[in-house]
């Protein structure tokens, strides 16, 4: 973690983080209303090393949005059938319709990262992907999709701390897989694969943005701020809803059957 001049960590405190995040979440809701008003479609691709913080920033972005409008896509290992398809085919059904937001927790870029480094695809398949990805993304952008691609950076020292935390925390242990353990020995290989990917797929219509996630709170704020700053004017009139008072006293729940609520937790 970086230090300030007085030697203290410049890691963002929790209170300051939530205060700043609340402001950004209000703006994200403006974006959501604008998307519904205009019928635009938004895709955010979140990539990075294991433990970088993809899940955390997705939660920060989505937790105050309508889940019917904003979806997270985190695909599992491809099935035997999916492995015989055109590589991009299984991602296409998850793309947004008018007014929707899709956040990809890893994406088609698996092929350029984990699949290539861990030997889950051939070198020919990886090279073909690097040629096809810019074409695929140009088709999306040409069709009007707003596409943003973020790579979350994290140093290995921070990555090791987060791996260790996952081992001891039963609520985070599900995040650690045997593949993650193997990948620890390939930190440099992942870096080289990332650089090759960035060089091949950073285009004018679908550029990459790299965000420092050694401090995850600061990284989330940086990423969301960047996204908001790169979406065009997004303010639309709010729909006002009349909310008149009840014309009677509030009623309590009453059940005309034998069904009753289960005993409350004590």
């Amino acid at each position: 973690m970086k230090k300030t001049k007085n030697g203290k960590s410049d890691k963002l405190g929790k209170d300051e983080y939530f205060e700043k995040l609340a402001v950004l979440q209000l703006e994200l809701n403006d974006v959501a209303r604008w998307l519904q008003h205009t019928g635009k479609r938004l895709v955010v691709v979140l990539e990075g090393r294991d433990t970088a913080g993809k899940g955390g920033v997705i939660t920060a972005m989505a937790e105050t949005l309508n889940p019917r409008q904003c979806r997270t896509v985190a695909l599992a290992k491809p099935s035997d059938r999916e492995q015989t398809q055109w590589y991009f085919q299984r991602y296409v059904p998850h793309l947004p319709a008018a007014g929707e937001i899709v956040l990809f927790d890893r994406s088609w870029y698996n092929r350029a990262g984990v699949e290539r480094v861990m030997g889950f695809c051939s070198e020919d398949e990886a090279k073909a992907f690097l040629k096809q990805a810019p074409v695929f993304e140009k088709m999306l952008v040409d069709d009007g999709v707003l596409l943003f691609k973020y790579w979350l950076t994290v140093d290995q020292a921070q990555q090791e701390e987060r791996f260790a935390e996952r081992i001891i925390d039963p609520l985070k242990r599900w995040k650690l897989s045997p593949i993650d353990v193997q990948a620890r020995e390939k930190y440099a290989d992942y870096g080289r694969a990332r650089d090759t990917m960035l060089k091949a797929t950073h285009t004018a219509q679908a550029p990459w943005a790299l965000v420092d996630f050694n401090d995850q709170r600061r990284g989330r704020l940086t990423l969301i701020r960047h996204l908001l700053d790169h979406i065009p004017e997004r303010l639309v009139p709010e729909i006002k809803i009349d909310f008149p008072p009840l014309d009677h006293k509030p009623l309590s729940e009453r059940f005309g059957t034998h069904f009753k609520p289960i005993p409350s937790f004590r």
Side-chain angles (χ1 to χ4, degrees):
M1 189 63 60
K2 294 179 181 178
K3 303 287 185 179
T4 59
K5 291 182 178 180
N6 60 13
K8 295 182 179 180
S9 170
D10 68 347
K11 185 174 181 179
L12 192 65
K14 184 180 292 186
D15 290 343
E16 183 181 2
Y17 164 69
F18 282 116
E19 180 180 344
K20 294 179 182 296
L21 177 61
V23 175
L24 299 182
Q25 288 176 329
L26 284 173
E27 293 189 53
L28 285 171
N29 273 269
D30 290 340
V31 170
R33 283 192 294 272
W34 175 77
L35 290 169
Q36 288 185 318
H37 182 77
T38 60
K40 297 285 188 180
R41 295 159 288 165
L42 175 61
V43 171
V44 182
V45 169
L46 295 148
E47 293 286 345
R49 299 177 184 276
D50 296 319
T51 80
K54 297 178 288 295
V57 72
I58 286 172
T59 298
M61 294 171 68
E63 65 182 350
T64 64
L65 300 179
N66 184 344
R68 295 183 181 88
Q69 181 186 11
C70 179
R71 292 182 286 110
T72 299
V73 176
L75 299 186
K77 177 183 175 181
S79 66
D80 291 342
R81 181 176 182 275
E82 287 173 329
Q83 290 182 31
T84 68
Q85 296 174 341
W86 174 50
Y87 179 73
F88 296 93
Q89 186 171 337
R90 76 184 191 122
Y91 294 97
V92 171
H94 299 281
L95 294 171
E100 293 181 346
I101 303 168
V102 172
L103 309 174
F104 278 97
D105 184 350
R106 296 194 183 278
S107 65
W108 43 91
Y109 281 101
N110 271 343
R111 175 133 295 179
V114 63
E115 289 188 21
R116 188 176 200 180
V117 173
M118 301 305 293
F120 298 148
C121 70
S122 69
E123 271 299 295
D124 287 343
E125 287 172 327
K127 290 176 180 178
F129 167 83
L130 293 176
K131 291 180 180 179
Q132 293 174 5
V135 179
F136 174 66
E137 291 170 356
K138 185 175 187 302
M139 293 170 64
L140 297 181
V141 174
D142 286 349
D143 198 56
V145 172
L146 300 172
L147 175 61
F148 293 87
K149 303 187 303 189
Y150 291 100
W151 179 272
L152 283 52
T153 75
V154 60
D155 296 333
Q156 192 167 29
Q158 283 295 319
Q159 187 184 49
E160 285 292 289
E161 285 185 20
R162 294 171 191 173
F163 277 139
E165 182 181 359
R166 291 180 180 184
I167 291 174
I168 63 175
D169 186 344
L171 299 181
K172 294 184 178 181
R173 202 168 295 151
W174 65 269
K175 296 182 178 183
L176 190 63
S177 72
I179 296 298
D180 296 333
V181 176
Q182 294 177 38
R184 293 173 60 232
E185 303 300 324
K186 296 181 178 292
Y187 185 91
D189 293 336
Y190 270 100
R192 286 188 286 270
R194 176 208 57 216
D195 291 346
T196 299
M197 177 199 76
L198 293 175
K199 184 177 180 180
T201 62
H202 179 76
T203 62
Q205 68 272 6
W208 281 97
L210 276 62
V211 186
D212 184 347
F213 262 70
N214 283 296
D215 179 343
Q216 291 181 318
R217 293 172 186 159
R218 196 180 299 279
R220 292 170 201 153
L221 299 178
T222 301
L223 189 153
I224 297 171
R225 182 73 266 164
H226 181 277
L227 175 67
L228 292 167
D229 288 345
H230 286 79
I231 291 178
E233 59 178 278
R234 55 184 182 271
L235 294 179
V236 296
E238 285 194 56
I239 299 175
K240 293 188 176 181
I241 301 174
D242 290 331
F243 195 68
L246 292 171
D247 60 2
H248 57 78
K249 291 183 178 180
L251 303 177
S252 299
E253 286 273 25
R254 292 290 184 268
F255 302 91
T257 70
H258 68 281
F259 291 104
K260 304 295 180 186
I262 63 175
S264 296
F265 178 80
R266 299 294 182 189

